[in-house]
Amino acid sequence: MRGIVAIADVPGMREAVRVMRPLKSGSVINISSIWGSAAVAGAHSYHAAKGAVRNMSKKQR
């Protein structure tokens, strides 16, 4: 279920970029948490989802 957190951001970012590109303006803001770059035992799915959102957002810069 937590994998949906990362997958759901992809269509939103695509749509935002589609609208912003002709305007040559805009920002995409994704909310994640520190747990995208740190880990606690037993919460690997959560950390992976947060890390995916964080890395995807960084890639779009």
Side-chain angles (χ1 to χ4, degrees):
M1 186 71 168
R2 289 189 179 142
I4 293 170
V5 172
I7 294 169
D9 286 342
V10 173
M13 287 180 65
R14 280 190 186 143
E15 182 62 17
V17 169
R18 185 188 71 76
V19 171
M20 291 186 300
R21 207 171 256 153
L23 300 174
K24 298 185 188 314
S25 179
S27 297
V28 174
I29 300 172
N30 285 322
I31 308 286
S32 185
S33 73
I34 188 65
W35 299 114
S37 59
V40 172
H44 58 277
S45 297
Y46 179 79
H47 299 306
K50 294 301 177 181
V53 171
R54 182 175 184 267
N55 290 334
M56 182 177 52
S57 299
K58 289 181 105 177
K59 177 72 175 160
Q60 295 301 315
R61 289 184 182 176

